[in-house]
Amino acid sequence: MTVQIGEVGAVILVIGCLVGYFVFKHSKNTPGPASRSDVVGAIGSAVAVITALVILFGGGSEHREAPAPVPPQTVTVPTTGQR
Protein backbone atom coordinates (compact mmCIF):
# COMPACT_ATOMS: atom_id res chain seq x y z
CA MET A 1 0.00 0.00 0.00
CA THR A 2 1.38 3.38 -0.99
CA VAL A 3 0.54 6.49 1.00
CA GLN A 4 0.95 9.67 -0.97
CA ILE A 5 1.71 12.90 0.86
CA GLY A 6 1.29 16.29 -0.81
CA GLU A 7 4.21 18.67 -1.15
CA VAL A 8 3.02 20.95 1.63
CA GLY A 9 2.49 18.01 3.97
CA ALA A 10 5.96 16.63 3.25
CA VAL A 11 7.59 20.01 3.92
CA ILE A 12 5.66 20.35 7.17
CA LEU A 13 6.75 16.87 8.26
CA VAL A 14 10.41 17.58 7.46
CA ILE A 15 10.32 20.90 9.34
CA GLY A 16 8.76 19.21 12.37
CA CYS A 17 11.39 16.47 12.32
CA LEU A 18 14.21 19.02 12.08
CA VAL A 19 12.83 21.03 15.01
CA GLY A 20 12.52 17.83 17.05
CA TYR A 21 16.11 16.88 16.19
CA PHE A 22 17.50 20.26 17.21
CA VAL A 23 15.52 20.27 20.45
CA PHE A 24 16.83 16.77 21.19
CA LYS A 25 20.45 17.76 20.52
CA HIS A 26 20.37 21.04 22.42
CA SER A 27 18.31 20.15 25.47
CA LYS A 28 19.33 18.58 28.73
CA ASN A 29 17.10 16.32 30.79
CA THR A 30 18.90 16.92 34.08
CA PRO A 31 21.73 19.26 34.98
CA GLY A 32 25.16 17.73 35.25
CA PRO A 33 27.92 16.32 33.11
CA ALA A 34 26.31 12.87 32.62
CA SER A 35 22.93 14.12 31.43
CA ARG A 36 21.31 13.04 28.19
CA SER A 37 19.03 14.85 25.79
CA ASP A 38 15.31 15.09 26.46
CA VAL A 39 13.46 12.71 24.13
CA VAL A 40 9.98 13.60 25.39
CA GLY A 41 10.58 17.30 24.94
CA ALA A 42 11.88 16.75 21.42
CA ILE A 43 8.88 14.65 20.38
CA GLY A 44 6.48 17.12 22.01
CA SER A 45 8.04 20.10 20.27
CA ALA A 46 8.03 18.31 16.90
CA VAL A 47 4.34 17.45 17.30
CA ALA A 48 3.53 21.02 18.34
CA VAL A 49 5.34 22.47 15.32
CA ILE A 50 3.69 20.01 12.91
CA THR A 51 0.26 20.75 14.39
CA ALA A 52 0.74 24.51 14.17
CA LEU A 53 1.95 24.33 10.57
CA VAL A 54 -0.91 22.05 9.53
CA ILE A 55 -3.37 24.51 11.04
CA LEU A 56 -1.69 27.46 9.28
CA PHE A 57 -1.09 25.89 5.87
CA GLY A 58 -3.83 23.30 5.66
CA GLY A 59 -1.57 20.26 5.53
CA GLY A 60 -1.68 19.96 1.75
CA SER A 61 -5.30 18.93 1.66
CA GLU A 62 -6.74 19.13 -1.83
CA HIS A 63 -10.30 20.08 -2.54
CA ARG A 64 -11.73 16.64 -3.05
CA GLU A 65 -15.27 16.04 -4.11
CA ALA A 66 -17.48 13.94 -1.93
CA PRO A 67 -18.39 10.56 -3.38
CA ALA A 68 -21.71 10.39 -5.18
CA PRO A 69 -24.57 9.32 -2.94
CA VAL A 70 -25.72 5.75 -3.36
CA PRO A 71 -29.35 5.54 -4.46
CA PRO A 72 -31.63 3.76 -2.01
CA GLN A 73 -32.19 0.11 -2.72
CA THR A 74 -35.62 -1.45 -2.71
CA VAL A 75 -36.01 -5.06 -1.70
CA THR A 76 -38.83 -7.06 -3.21
CA VAL A 77 -39.86 -10.30 -1.58
CA PRO A 78 -41.68 -12.82 -3.76
CA THR A 79 -44.97 -13.94 -2.32
CA THR A 80 -46.13 -17.55 -2.41
CA GLY A 81 -49.81 -16.74 -2.36
CA GLN A 82 -50.44 -18.49 0.97
CA ARG A 83 -51.16 -16.77 4.23
Side-chain angles (χ1 to χ4, degrees):
M1 181 168 97
T2 303
V3 177
Q4 296 186 6
I5 301 175
E7 294 85 17
V8 175
V11 170
I12 288 173
L13 183 64
V14 168
I15 290 172
C17 290
L18 287 174
V19 168
Y21 171 77
F22 286 118
V23 169
F24 177 74
K25 285 295 181 183
H26 297 290
S27 65
K28 302 247 185 225
N29 194 6
T30 56
S35 65
R36 298 187 65 170
S37 297
D38 187 13
V39 175
V40 175
I43 292 172
S45 64
V47 168
V49 167
I50 290 171
T51 303
L53 290 176
V54 165
I55 289 172
L56 288 175
F57 296 114
S61 61
E62 295 95 24
H63 298 287
R64 298 182 185 159
E65 293 182 22
V70 178
Q73 297 178 355
T74 58
V75 178
T76 57
V77 179
T79 58
T80 60
Q82 297 177 352
R83 290 190 182 211

